[in-house]
C-alpha cells in the first residue's frame, strides 16, 4: 500500500509552517481538494495562491478563521462542506507559542490566550469535524468515515527542560493528547480515526527567531540527532497518520522529536 490520501482535507494553521507543509505533502500524495484555514489572512492567501500554482489540478480554497472562536470554526467547516461536499481528513495544527513566563509571574490573561487557541481551539475544531464526519458515509475498508490528526508537541508528553518556562503551552499540549485519546475511543467504532503527533523542535516561523539568534543551540546539542526537524519531516509523518497506512493507529500520540524525549 502506498502512503496516499484521498478526498478533501481541512487544515488549520495552513498559512505557515507545519500546516502549510502538510498541505504540500497532501497535494503531492493524492488529495483532491483542500480547505486551508488560518487567522493570518495575508499568509493564508499567499499559501493558497502558491498551492494553486504548483498543483493546478487540486481544488484549493482558503477560509480565514479563528480556531478559538466557536462561530468562526463552525463557519469554516460549513463553508468547506458547501464547497467540497464533505471532509475526509481534518488536521488541527493552528497554534501559538505564548511568551515564556514561569507560573509565579504569569497573568491569567497570558495563560488564557494560549489555552484558548492551543486547547479549546483543537476541541472546537475536533467537535465540528466529528459532527460533520458522523453525517458522512463510511468509505469502508481501511479508510472509514474520516481521520482527525491533532498537532500536539513533545511537550504534550513530557515537561520542557530548564530554560523553557511555558506552563500554558505544556498544559494545553498535554490536554490535546488527552482529548485525542478520549475521542479516539469514543468515535472509533463509528469509523472516525483520531490520533496526535508530538513534534520536537521544528524549523518554522514559530521558533525561527530563537533558532537564528543561536539561543536554541544548547537544546539542539541535547537532541540526539543534533538539529531541529525540517518541516517536511513532520508533514510526512502527518501524511502517514492521515493515510490508510496507519489504519490500526487509534488514540496514539506519535512522538517525532529527533530523540529529544528518549
Ligand atoms: P507557525 O508557522 O506559526 O504556524 C501556525 C499558524 O497558525 C500561523 O499561520 C498562525 O497565524 C496560525 N494561527 C495562530 N493562531 C490562530 C488561531 N487562533 N486561529 C487560526 N490560526 C491561527 O507555527 P508551526 O511551527 O507551524 O506550528 C504549528 C503547530 O505545531 C502549533 O500547534 C505548534 O504548537 C505545533 N508545534 C510546533 C513546533 C515547532 O517547533 N515549530 C513543535 C511542536 C509543536 P499567525 O502567524 O498570525 O500566528
Amino acid at each position: 500500500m502506498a502512503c496516499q490520501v484521498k478526498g478533501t482535507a481541512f487544515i488549520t494553521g495552513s498559512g505557515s509552517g507545519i500546516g502549510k507543509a502538510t498541505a504540500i505533502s497532501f497535494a503531492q500524495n493524492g488529495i483532491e481538494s483542500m480547505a486551508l484555514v488560518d487567522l493570518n489572512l495575508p499568509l493564508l492567501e499567499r499559501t493558497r495562491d502558491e498551492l494553486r500554482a504548483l498543483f493546478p489540478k487540486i481544488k484549493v480554497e482558503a477560509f480565514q478563521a479563528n480556531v478559538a472562536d466557536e462561530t468562526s470554526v463552525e463557519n469554516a467547516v460549513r463553508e468547506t462542506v458547501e464547497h467540497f461536499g464533505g471532509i475526509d481528513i481534518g488536521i488541527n495544527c493552528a497554534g501559538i507559542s505564548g511568551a515564556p513566563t514561569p507560573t509565579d509571574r504569569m497573568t491569567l490573561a497570558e495563560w488564557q490566550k494560549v489555552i484558548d487557541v492551543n486547547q479549546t481551539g483543537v476541541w472546537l475544531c475536533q467537535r465540528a469535524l466529528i459532527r460533520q464526519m458522523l453525517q458522512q458515509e463510511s468509505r469502508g475498508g481501511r479508510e472509514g468515515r474520516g481521520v482527525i490528526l491533532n498537532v500536539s508537541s513533545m511537550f504534550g508528553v513530557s515537561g520542557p527542560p530548564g530554560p523553557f518556562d511555558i506552563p500554558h503551552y505544556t498544559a494545553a499540549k498535554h490536554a490535546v493528547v488527552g482529548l485525542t485519546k478520549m475521542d479516539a475511543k469514543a468515535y472509533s467504532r463509528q469509523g472516525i480515526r483520531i490520533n496526535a503527533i508530538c513534534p520536537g523542535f521544528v524549523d518554522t516561523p514559530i521558533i525561527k527567531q530563537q533558532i537564528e539568534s543561536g539561543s536554541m543551540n544548547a537544546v539542539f546539542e541535547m537532541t540526539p540527532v543534533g538539529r531541529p526537524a525540517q518541516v517536511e519531516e513532520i508533514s510526512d509523518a502527518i501524511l502517514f497518520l492521515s493515510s490508510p497506512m496507519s489504519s490500526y493507529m487509534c488514540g496514539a500520540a506519535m512522538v517525532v522529536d529527533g530523540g529529544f524525549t528518549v
Side-chain angles (χ1 to χ4, degrees), residues 13-202:
S14 43
S16 173
I18 297 170
K20 176 179 177 178
T22 298
I24 294 169
S25 288
F26 281 8
Q28 290 166 334
N29 291 284
I31 207 76
E32 287 136 49
S33 45
M34 275 191 286
L36 306 181
V37 180
D38 205 293
L39 187 56
N40 188 324
L41 191 58
L43 284 183
L44 180 63
E45 291 182 334
R46 197 171 67 199
T47 301
R48 177 201 59 198
D49 294 347
E50 278 175 35
L51 278 154
R52 283 180 176 167
L54 283 169
F55 306 100
K57 290 192 181 144
I58 298 171
K59 295 184 215 109
V60 183
E61 292 296 334
F63 301 109
Q64 187 186 28
N66 177 1
V67 297
D69 181 278
E70 185 176 27
T71 306
S72 188
V73 168
E74 284 172 9
N75 285 343
V77 169
R78 182 179 41 74
E79 287 177 67
T80 302
V81 174
E82 280 169 10
H83 262 83
F84 300 130
I87 299 175
D88 303 287
I89 301 169
I91 309 295
N92 294 322
C93 186
I96 55 175
S97 55
T101 314
T103 287
D104 63 290
R105 280 191 262 131
M106 184 172 287
T107 65
L108 179 59
E110 288 168 326
W111 166 269
Q112 198 62 54
K113 188 174 173 196
V114 173
I115 298 296
D116 283 350
V117 176
N118 290 6
Q119 178 175 334
T120 309
V122 172
W123 179 73
L124 285 171
C125 291
Q126 182 149 300
R127 183 181 68 168
L129 289 165
I130 288 170
R131 285 176 173 168
Q132 172 56 35
M133 287 173 181
L134 286 173
Q135 295 175 49
Q136 300 174 182
E137 290 292 315
S138 172
R139 285 171 178 253
R142 288 173 68 173
E143 286 187 58
R145 255 199 179 111
V147 173
I148 297 174
L149 189 278
N150 295 323
V151 180
S152 176
S153 161
M154 65 179 169
F155 299 142
V157 291
S158 67
F164 293 94
D165 284 316
I166 46 172
H168 41 11
Y169 186 88
T170 307
K173 292 299 185 182
H174 273 74
V176 168
V177 171
L179 173 65
T180 300
K181 290 179 192 291
M182 172 71 236
D183 282 353
K185 286 177 98 167
Y187 295 98
S188 163
R189 300 272 173 110
Q190 291 168 85
I192 302 174
R193 203 160 62 76
I194 308 178
N195 290 290
I197 187 165
C198 300
F201 297 109
V202 192

Side-chain angles (χ1 to χ4, degrees), residues 185-236:
K185 286 177 98 167
Y187 295 98
S188 163
R189 300 272 173 110
Q190 291 168 85
I192 302 174
R193 203 160 62 76
I194 308 178
N195 290 290
I197 187 165
C198 300
F201 297 109
V202 192
D203 189 355
T204 71
I206 216 171
I207 58 164
K208 196 138 218 106
Q209 221 182 335
Q210 292 103 301
I211 292 179
E212 281 167 4
S213 72
S215 66
M216 306 275 296
N217 289 351
V219 192
F220 299 145
E221 252 336 285
M222 289 161 65
T223 306
V225 304
R227 60 172 176 83
Q230 293 305 302
V231 73
E232 296 77 16
E233 294 177 297
I234 304 303
S235 62
D236 286 342

